[in-house]
Amino acid sequence: MAENHAAASGSAADAIINLDGSTSSKDGTSSDTRPLPVGLPLRQALHHPAPQPKYHDITEKFERACSALNVGQLVKDEYFTLFESIGALEIMDPKMDSGFLQPGETLEDDYDTLAPLLPEEVIGIMDQLLCYEMAWHTGYPLSQTLFTSMYIDKLLWPEPHTFEQAQFYRGGLPEERKLDVMLEVLRAYCLALIKCCDFVIAKITGRDYFEEEDFCTHTYNRVLFVNTPMDVFLRELDAAMEGLEDIEFSIDQALRKALVSRLNFRKHFLTALDLDCPLDHLEKYWPPISSTLTPINTTHQLGKPVPGAFSTKLQRRLASTVPPRPIVELSFPDAFSNLKQLCLDCSEATRFTTLPPDPLEYQSFLWAYASRSPPPLPYSRSYLASLLFHPTTLNASTSFPLSDLHTILLPASPLIDPTNWTLSPPLNPMLPKPPRIQFALLIDEFIDRVGAPYLEFWTALGQNRCRLRRMLGHVILAWDQLQSDAGLVDEDIHRAASELGIRDEIIEFPLSSWTYAKKLWMVEKMVLLGFEQDIYLPDEYAAQYSFLSSISARRRTVLSNLTTHLETRHRAFLASAPPDLQSAHEVEESIQHVQSLLADATGISALADALSRFYTLALYLRLLPSPTRPFSTETLRYELRMKPFLTLQPPEVLPFDEFMAVVRPFGPFENLDPGFWDAVSRPEVRVWGEMEKSVKTAKEAFAKVKRLGAKAARAEGVEKHWAKEVQGALASCVALGVAVAGVRSAAKGVKKGDELGVRVEVPVMGSGKRYAEGWVVGRVGKK
Amino acid sequence: MDNSEATFYLSQFIGKNLRIHTTDNRIFGGQMKCTDKDRNIILALTYEYRAPAEAEIRRAVEASGNPTAPVSWNSRYVGLVVVPGAHVKKIEFEESGYGKSVVVL
């Protein structure tokens, strides 16, 4: 601006330039040599310079004022709390201040990023970068991983304005040096790596994730080429590969191959991470990567590490409000197996797109995916979630909750007859609406209401197992609320149905039954996850399994009512003249599914009951470790365990006294019922009989689930995992049978004060000694 | 200066921008939140400024041939910091260029 006006006259130019405060570049001569514009009056734009702040040295007075303060007196902002002040970084404290330099230490490393590199060194750096990349994927921040690389730092800072500026140097190359081929290769690899990080961050932040718990997306004010499209990076990689293939460039063949395989991997990886992959081509992206992985692993030993290429000092220049932290070292084998797992998990996730569009299939898939071991990394989970919540998935012709309702509850039901939606309401709004329109409106209203809790449930299923358990606690509350709302809708439905005279075609409380069954399923899973994650201690097993058993018993009741209703409907369709075969078929499919659910609930209830009884006896017989808890009482502990479920209605949590009667059938441990020893010492008596009966029921029920198959369970897409789960439950039944027999024979003829001569060993989580992670079956062994 | 005078004087700077020079020649610019008898100062929304290394200055001068070539200071955001009194070398108060501030210096 100033320059243009300056053209008018020398003296005016001076004034204006001065006004702008940009006098530094002015030398007075340039304005004289410029041609004068003809005949235009000089118009001065209203141009006030930004007022410069003034600085006053207040050191001395500040110091005097401070020393006049009393000890312990603070002069502070009234809204500034001690709590906040704890978060302040202490300057000059080597542990907190990332900018603190030890005596003689320099800020910058003197590592030269333009120094020629050997091919071995480039391989070493690439592999090290891969390790850091994987460490980042497992949850460490970039500042402790990739951003410690000198090369990446040079590419990203100072921020390049164009892509071409992203070099290992800024400005011109000194002394007309040409960039070595090896450096070009490394540059292409680093650029693509940075873009990979950008894609990963975009994908993860696009879905539900927990910053710093799951993953750190912080980039410390560095921009990871957000606006540069992917093909630019692919071109760089291609160019680098061409450079390597150049015959004039002499290099050992093995090294050449190793480098090409790394570039090739990066190319495929970057393509697969691309955000805009069309859904129907997904299977082309992840599987090819697996083939590019092996050569990286086999040629790793060719590399030569270059420790100087990484430094924690780079953290000093990152915009960071946290103290400096050491570089995270992940060994190459670990990093490689993480990478392999990531690729596997993602290609498994792409199978999601091939599932039949059925919410129950989706649910099974999500459940199976969350159960994968090792647990999928945040990226893989976000990847699956982005497929699940992809518009093409969500915009199914029937909304998910409705098709869920349809499968479980209302196959061929007049309640969701499509013709209900085609009727027009009476023109006069004062007239009552015909019952069929009421059905449509009520169902619409309910589906609308279900939407949020339903998605919330799926979001929870997309988290890792620990968080899944915790989030289920919240989801259950939402479904509890939903159930009470569903009750109101049910009343209206009944009224409309009675008007139509089809009361018997609709099950009692349809919508609340559906909601209830789903909610109970979640409560069961939550408790089972608690066992899976060793939340409960062995002396709490009896209580928790007893609770689980009561929950699934309730689900069993709901489902068996449903089965009865569906079977009646099925018979009615067949008996009608002419028989309505299509509806009958629809109902039959639902019956299959509900049967599978029913058998599952029966199995869970029976097995949990047996385990509860087993652990109760084990407690009485002092076979389980029970820690001393001087600072808590049984009542408080019970309240704490039941906290997530206390507000539910139904199922109401048992009051403490009733609960105690269930888990302490023989009275308190210190003051045993005299009948106890008599009851356990004779193998033929009820205590043992009941336990065995439950085990038997459970075994039969799980066998039925297995027989009905994955299709009936709506888990066809993940049949293998489903079969493993059912098999695990069956095996747990068998194991429990053995354990019960073991304790029974040991307890035979035992009297008060006798040692039993056996011990119960509780398999810990993740040790591979449990047949199913949620079913903790103790092993009985000789002492 | 007595205690109430000192308290008044210091509390004027609360929420105002200060520049604190530390013994290792860095400058911290941020909003003052709190201070005490030992002259520990808590600054919020702070930026750290560091003079460029000598080698860098030399390089810039050689490259441009101009002995007064400008070399920018390194700055980065560090957020909430406490500068211990022992390391405070100089305190500057930044008076906003807009309007007169009411601080009694």
Side-chain angles (χ1 to χ4, degrees), chain A residues 469-500:
Chain A
R469 191 186 74 84
R470 296 198 299 270
M471 278 177 85
L472 272 182
H474 299 282
V475 176
I476 288 167
L477 293 184
W479 279 71
D480 190 54
Q481 191 57 50
L482 179 65
Q483 191 186 346
S484 71
D485 294 352
L488 300 177
V489 182
D490 278 343
E491 282 173 26
D492 293 338
I493 287 178
H494 285 317
R495 207 171 304 126
S498 315
E499 230 176 283
L500 270 182

mmCIF file of all heavy atoms in Angstrom, chain A residues 469-500:
data_model
loop_
_atom_site.group_PDB
_atom_site.id
_atom_site.type_symbol
_atom_site.label_atom_id
_atom_site.label_comp_id
_atom_site.label_asym_id
_atom_site.label_seq_id
_atom_site.Cartn_x
_atom_site.Cartn_y
_atom_site.Cartn_z
ATOM 1 N N ARG A 469 -17.251 -51.635 28.521
ATOM 2 C CA ARG A 469 -17.922 -51.986 29.774
ATOM 3 C C ARG A 469 -18.435 -50.728 30.473
ATOM 4 O O ARG A 469 -19.579 -50.661 30.909
ATOM 5 C CB ARG A 469 -16.964 -52.739 30.698
ATOM 6 C CG ARG A 469 -17.622 -53.371 31.901
ATOM 7 C CD ARG A 469 -16.593 -53.957 32.829
ATOM 8 N NE ARG A 469 -15.893 -52.928 33.558
ATOM 9 C CZ ARG A 469 -16.336 -52.374 34.675
ATOM 10 N NH1 ARG A 469 -17.466 -52.764 35.199
ATOM 11 N NH2 ARG A 469 -15.650 -51.436 35.272
ATOM 12 N N ARG A 470 -17.576 -49.722 30.540
ATOM 13 C CA ARG A 470 -17.986 -48.506 31.246
ATOM 14 C C ARG A 470 -19.097 -47.775 30.501
ATOM 15 O O ARG A 470 -20.037 -47.276 31.095
ATOM 16 C CB ARG A 470 -16.787 -47.577 31.439
ATOM 17 C CG ARG A 470 -15.715 -48.164 32.327
ATOM 18 C CD ARG A 470 -14.792 -47.081 32.835
ATOM 19 N NE ARG A 470 -14.093 -46.389 31.779
ATOM 20 C CZ ARG A 470 -12.925 -46.761 31.294
ATOM 21 N NH1 ARG A 470 -12.334 -47.834 31.768
ATOM 22 N NH2 ARG A 470 -12.339 -46.071 30.341
ATOM 23 N N MET A 471 -18.958 -47.730 29.162
ATOM 24 C CA MET A 471 -19.972 -46.999 28.404
ATOM 25 C C MET A 471 -21.310 -47.724 28.447
ATOM 26 O O MET A 471 -22.361 -47.076 28.430
ATOM 27 C CB MET A 471 -19.516 -46.799 26.963
ATOM 28 C CG MET A 471 -18.577 -45.622 26.824
ATOM 29 S SD MET A 471 -17.968 -45.411 25.171
ATOM 30 C CE MET A 471 -19.259 -44.456 24.416
ATOM 31 N N LEU A 472 -21.266 -49.047 28.504
ATOM 32 C CA LEU A 472 -22.525 -49.789 28.592
ATOM 33 C C LEU A 472 -23.325 -49.313 29.796
ATOM 34 O O LEU A 472 -24.549 -49.222 29.743
ATOM 35 C CB LEU A 472 -22.260 -51.289 28.690
ATOM 36 C CG LEU A 472 -22.129 -52.038 27.357
ATOM 37 C CD1 LEU A 472 -21.910 -53.511 27.612
ATOM 38 C CD2 LEU A 472 -23.352 -51.842 26.488
ATOM 39 N N GLY A 473 -22.617 -49.004 30.877
ATOM 40 C CA GLY A 473 -23.287 -48.504 32.073
ATOM 41 C C GLY A 473 -24.177 -47.308 31.761
ATOM 42 O O GLY A 473 -25.303 -47.214 32.233
ATOM 43 N N HIS A 474 -23.673 -46.414 30.895
ATOM 44 C CA HIS A 474 -24.461 -45.225 30.534
ATOM 45 C C HIS A 474 -25.555 -45.580 29.538
ATOM 46 O O HIS A 474 -26.674 -45.075 29.617
ATOM 47 C CB HIS A 474 -23.546 -44.154 29.950
ATOM 48 C CG HIS A 474 -22.496 -43.706 30.911
ATOM 49 N ND1 HIS A 474 -22.775 -42.841 31.936
ATOM 50 C CD2 HIS A 474 -21.202 -44.034 31.030
ATOM 51 C CE1 HIS A 474 -21.665 -42.642 32.638
ATOM 52 N NE2 HIS A 474 -20.708 -43.360 32.109
ATOM 53 N N VAL A 475 -25.183 -46.433 28.587
ATOM 54 C CA VAL A 475 -26.162 -46.800 27.559
ATOM 55 C C VAL A 475 -27.364 -47.483 28.214
ATOM 56 O O VAL A 475 -28.515 -47.237 27.854
ATOM 57 C CB VAL A 475 -25.501 -47.726 26.518
ATOM 58 C CG1 VAL A 475 -26.526 -48.193 25.501
ATOM 59 C CG2 VAL A 475 -24.377 -46.996 25.814
ATOM 60 N N ILE A 476 -27.087 -48.306 29.220
ATOM 61 C CA ILE A 476 -28.166 -49.021 29.895
ATOM 62 C C ILE A 476 -29.146 -48.036 30.525
ATOM 63 O O ILE A 476 -30.362 -48.210 30.428
ATOM 64 C CB ILE A 476 -27.582 -49.975 30.965
ATOM 65 C CG1 ILE A 476 -26.899 -51.147 30.277
ATOM 66 C CG2 ILE A 476 -28.662 -50.481 31.899
ATOM 67 C CD1 ILE A 476 -26.026 -51.965 31.188
ATOM 68 N N LEU A 477 -28.615 -46.982 31.115
ATOM 69 C CA LEU A 477 -29.505 -45.978 31.716
ATOM 70 C C LEU A 477 -30.409 -45.346 30.653
ATOM 71 O O LEU A 477 -31.601 -45.137 30.877
ATOM 72 C CB LEU A 477 -28.685 -44.888 32.401
ATOM 73 C CG LEU A 477 -27.903 -45.327 33.634
ATOM 74 C CD1 LEU A 477 -27.218 -44.131 34.262
ATOM 75 C CD2 LEU A 477 -28.826 -45.989 34.638
ATOM 76 N N ALA A 478 -29.807 -45.067 29.485
ATOM 77 C CA ALA A 478 -30.604 -44.462 28.412
ATOM 78 C C ALA A 478 -31.709 -45.428 27.971
ATOM 79 O O ALA A 478 -32.837 -45.018 27.713
ATOM 80 C CB ALA A 478 -29.705 -44.111 27.238
ATOM 81 N N TRP A 479 -31.370 -46.694 27.935
ATOM 82 C CA TRP A 479 -32.368 -47.694 27.508
ATOM 83 C C TRP A 479 -33.423 -47.904 28.578
ATOM 84 O O TRP A 479 -34.558 -48.276 28.276
ATOM 85 C CB TRP A 479 -31.691 -49.009 27.123
ATOM 86 C CG TRP A 479 -31.139 -48.937 25.740
ATOM 87 C CD1 TRP A 479 -30.061 -48.219 25.332
ATOM 88 C CD2 TRP A 479 -31.676 -49.543 24.555
ATOM 89 N NE1 TRP A 479 -29.885 -48.344 23.986
ATOM 90 C CE2 TRP A 479 -30.853 -49.167 23.485
ATOM 91 C CE3 TRP A 479 -32.763 -50.381 24.305
ATOM 92 C CZ2 TRP A 479 -31.084 -49.579 22.181
ATOM 93 C CZ3 TRP A 479 -32.983 -50.801 23.007
ATOM 94 C CH2 TRP A 479 -32.161 -50.407 21.956
ATOM 95 N N ASP A 480 -33.043 -47.668 29.805
ATOM 96 C CA ASP A 480 -34.020 -47.777 30.890
ATOM 97 C C ASP A 480 -35.085 -46.701 30.713
ATOM 98 O O ASP A 480 -36.287 -46.956 30.813
ATOM 99 C CB ASP A 480 -33.302 -47.609 32.228
ATOM 100 C CG ASP A 480 -34.204 -47.941 33.392
ATOM 101 O OD1 ASP A 480 -34.767 -49.048 33.375
ATOM 102 O OD2 ASP A 480 -34.360 -47.096 34.284
ATOM 103 N N GLN A 481 -34.603 -45.501 30.405
ATOM 104 C CA GLN A 481 -35.527 -44.391 30.146
ATOM 105 C C GLN A 481 -36.400 -44.719 28.937
ATOM 106 O O GLN A 481 -37.617 -44.517 28.953
ATOM 107 C CB GLN A 481 -34.690 -43.132 29.891
ATOM 108 C CG GLN A 481 -35.469 -41.839 29.874
ATOM 109 C CD GLN A 481 -36.219 -41.632 31.175
ATOM 110 O OE1 GLN A 481 -35.626 -41.745 32.242
ATOM 111 N NE2 GLN A 481 -37.510 -41.367 31.088
ATOM 112 N N LEU A 482 -35.749 -45.266 27.941
ATOM 113 C CA LEU A 482 -36.456 -45.624 26.709
ATOM 114 C C LEU A 482 -37.571 -46.624 27.000
ATOM 115 O O LEU A 482 -38.673 -46.535 26.466
ATOM 116 C CB LEU A 482 -35.456 -46.224 25.717
ATOM 117 C CG LEU A 482 -36.023 -46.683 24.381
ATOM 118 C CD1 LEU A 482 -36.549 -45.507 23.589
ATOM 119 C CD2 LEU A 482 -34.966 -47.424 23.578
ATOM 120 N N GLN A 483 -37.245 -47.558 27.885
ATOM 121 C CA GLN A 483 -38.241 -48.591 28.184
ATOM 122 C C GLN A 483 -39.485 -47.989 28.825
ATOM 123 O O GLN A 483 -40.608 -48.371 28.494
ATOM 124 C CB GLN A 483 -37.631 -49.640 29.114
ATOM 125 C CG GLN A 483 -38.522 -50.858 29.248
ATOM 126 C CD GLN A 483 -37.998 -51.824 30.281
ATOM 127 O OE1 GLN A 483 -36.852 -51.711 30.703
ATOM 128 N NE2 GLN A 483 -38.830 -52.776 30.672
ATOM 129 N N SER A 484 -39.277 -47.019 29.732
ATOM 130 C CA SER A 484 -40.463 -46.462 30.376
ATOM 131 C C SER A 484 -41.274 -45.657 29.359
ATOM 132 O O SER A 484 -42.507 -45.639 29.408
ATOM 133 C CB SER A 484 -40.084 -45.631 31.597
ATOM 134 O OG SER A 484 -39.470 -44.454 31.200
ATOM 135 N N ASP A 485 -40.585 -45.023 28.383
ATOM 136 C CA ASP A 485 -41.322 -44.332 27.319
ATOM 137 C C ASP A 485 -42.059 -45.329 26.445
ATOM 138 O O ASP A 485 -43.187 -45.080 25.997
ATOM 139 C CB ASP A 485 -40.361 -43.502 26.456
ATOM 140 C CG ASP A 485 -39.753 -42.358 27.240
ATOM 141 O OD1 ASP A 485 -40.202 -42.141 28.387
ATOM 142 O OD2 ASP A 485 -38.838 -41.694 26.723
ATOM 143 N N ALA A 486 -41.385 -46.454 26.182
ATOM 144 C CA ALA A 486 -41.994 -47.469 25.331
ATOM 145 C C ALA A 486 -43.287 -47.976 25.959
ATOM 146 O O ALA A 486 -44.254 -48.281 25.263
ATOM 147 C CB ALA A 486 -41.026 -48.625 25.107
ATOM 148 N N GLY A 487 -43.305 -48.034 27.293
ATOM 149 C CA GLY A 487 -44.500 -48.481 28.003
ATOM 150 C C GLY A 487 -45.710 -47.624 27.657
ATOM 151 O O GLY A 487 -46.816 -48.134 27.442
ATOM 152 N N LEU A 488 -45.476 -46.307 27.537
ATOM 153 C CA LEU A 488 -46.582 -45.397 27.207
ATOM 154 C C LEU A 488 -47.101 -45.649 25.791
ATOM 155 O O LEU A 488 -48.303 -45.683 25.539
ATOM 156 C CB LEU A 488 -46.111 -43.947 27.335
ATOM 157 C CG LEU A 488 -45.625 -43.545 28.724
ATOM 158 C CD1 LEU A 488 -45.119 -42.111 28.713
ATOM 159 C CD2 LEU A 488 -46.759 -43.706 29.727
ATOM 160 N N VAL A 489 -46.133 -45.842 24.877
ATOM 161 C CA VAL A 489 -46.528 -46.097 23.492
ATOM 162 C C VAL A 489 -47.309 -47.407 23.420
ATOM 163 O O VAL A 489 -48.309 -47.522 22.693
ATOM 164 C CB VAL A 489 -45.285 -46.155 22.576
ATOM 165 C CG1 VAL A 489 -45.699 -46.366 21.135
ATOM 166 C CG2 VAL A 489 -44.481 -44.881 22.712
ATOM 167 N N ASP A 490 -46.866 -48.384 24.203
ATOM 168 C CA ASP A 490 -47.542 -49.686 24.216
ATOM 169 C C ASP A 490 -49.008 -49.546 24.584
ATOM 170 O O ASP A 490 -49.880 -50.188 23.989
ATOM 171 C CB ASP A 490 -46.852 -50.622 25.203
ATOM 172 C CG ASP A 490 -45.622 -51.263 24.593
ATOM 173 O OD1 ASP A 490 -45.502 -51.233 23.354
ATOM 174 O OD2 ASP A 490 -44.779 -51.780 25.352
ATOM 175 N N GLU A 491 -49.286 -48.703 25.563
ATOM 176 C CA GLU A 491 -50.683 -48.528 25.985
ATOM 177 C C GLU A 491 -51.531 -48.027 24.817
ATOM 178 O O GLU A 491 -52.635 -48.518 24.566
ATOM 179 C CB GLU A 491 -50.760 -47.527 27.140
ATOM 180 C CG GLU A 491 -50.367 -48.149 28.468
ATOM 181 C CD GLU A 491 -50.287 -47.106 29.566
ATOM 182 O OE1 GLU A 491 -50.977 -46.074 29.461
ATOM 183 O OE2 GLU A 491 -49.530 -47.342 30.529
ATOM 184 N N ASP A 492 -50.961 -47.036 24.090
ATOM 185 C CA ASP A 492 -51.701 -46.515 22.934
ATOM 186 C C ASP A 492 -51.899 -47.585 21.877
ATOM 187 O O ASP A 492 -52.945 -47.673 21.240
ATOM 188 C CB ASP A 492 -50.947 -45.323 22.328
ATOM 189 C CG ASP A 492 -50.934 -44.137 23.278
ATOM 190 O OD1 ASP A 492 -51.819 -44.108 24.156
ATOM 191 O OD2 ASP A 492 -50.045 -43.278 23.157
ATOM 192 N N ILE A 493 -50.872 -48.396 21.694
ATOM 193 C CA ILE A 493 -50.975 -49.465 20.698
ATOM 194 C C ILE A 493 -52.092 -50.424 21.080
ATOM 195 O O ILE A 493 -52.907 -50.824 20.248
ATOM 196 C CB ILE A 493 -49.630 -50.212 20.572
ATOM 197 C CG1 ILE A 493 -48.624 -49.309 19.842
ATOM 198 C CG2 ILE A 493 -49.802 -51.512 19.824
ATOM 199 C CD1 ILE A 493 -47.261 -49.911 19.699
ATOM 200 N N HIS A 494 -52.144 -50.765 22.356
ATOM 201 C CA HIS A 494 -53.176 -51.698 22.811
ATOM 202 C C HIS A 494 -54.562 -51.123 22.564
ATOM 203 O O HIS A 494 -55.470 -51.833 22.127
ATOM 204 C CB HIS A 494 -53.009 -51.995 24.299
ATOM 205 C CG HIS A 494 -51.865 -52.917 24.563
ATOM 206 N ND1 HIS A 494 -51.622 -54.019 23.797
ATOM 207 C CD2 HIS A 494 -50.895 -52.908 25.510
ATOM 208 C CE1 HIS A 494 -50.540 -54.640 24.233
ATOM 209 N NE2 HIS A 494 -50.078 -53.979 25.272
ATOM 210 N N ARG A 495 -54.686 -49.829 22.843
ATOM 211 C CA ARG A 495 -55.994 -49.197 22.665
ATOM 212 C C ARG A 495 -56.412 -49.294 21.205
ATOM 213 O O ARG A 495 -57.518 -49.710 20.869
ATOM 214 C CB ARG A 495 -55.927 -47.734 23.118
ATOM 215 C CG ARG A 495 -57.260 -47.207 23.593
ATOM 216 C CD ARG A 495 -57.128 -45.839 24.241
ATOM 217 N NE ARG A 495 -56.184 -45.825 25.358
ATOM 218 C CZ ARG A 495 -55.160 -44.989 25.466
ATOM 219 N NH1 ARG A 495 -54.915 -44.115 24.527
ATOM 220 N NH2 ARG A 495 -54.366 -45.044 26.519
ATOM 221 N N ALA A 496 -55.474 -48.944 20.319
ATOM 222 C CA ALA A 496 -55.793 -48.975 18.889
ATOM 223 C C ALA A 496 -56.089 -50.396 18.431
ATOM 224 O O ALA A 496 -56.984 -50.629 17.614
ATOM 225 C CB ALA A 496 -54.641 -48.388 18.100
ATOM 226 N N ALA A 497 -55.336 -51.348 18.972
ATOM 227 C CA ALA A 497 -55.526 -52.738 18.561
ATOM 228 C C ALA A 497 -56.886 -53.251 19.017
ATOM 229 O O ALA A 497 -57.563 -53.982 18.287
ATOM 230 C CB ALA A 497 -54.413 -53.600 19.134
ATOM 231 N N SER A 498 -57.294 -52.858 20.222
ATOM 232 C CA SER A 498 -58.601 -53.301 20.717
ATOM 233 C C SER A 498 -59.700 -52.733 19.821
ATOM 234 O O SER A 498 -60.686 -53.397 19.519
ATOM 235 C CB SER A 498 -58.836 -52.833 22.145
ATOM 236 O OG SER A 498 -57.703 -53.059 22.912
ATOM 237 N N GLU A 499 -59.481 -51.508 19.348
ATOM 238 C CA GLU A 499 -60.458 -50.872 18.467
ATOM 239 C C GLU A 499 -60.629 -51.687 17.188
ATOM 240 O O GLU A 499 -61.723 -51.840 16.672
ATOM 241 C CB GLU A 499 -59.947 -49.482 18.123
ATOM 242 C CG GLU A 499 -60.958 -48.368 18.318
ATOM 243 C CD GLU A 499 -60.299 -47.036 18.050
ATOM 244 O OE1 GLU A 499 -59.540 -46.560 18.939
ATOM 245 O OE2 GLU A 499 -60.515 -46.490 16.965
ATOM 246 N N LEU A 500 -59.489 -52.179 16.701
ATOM 247 C CA LEU A 500 -59.516 -52.959 15.464
ATOM 248 C C LEU A 500 -59.955 -54.397 15.720
ATOM 249 O O LEU A 500 -60.219 -55.146 14.783
ATOM 250 C CB LEU A 500 -58.112 -53.006 14.851
ATOM 251 C CG LEU A 500 -57.721 -51.917 13.864
ATOM 252 C CD1 LEU A 500 -56.326 -52.194 13.352
ATOM 253 C CD2 LEU A 500 -58.707 -51.877 12.701
#
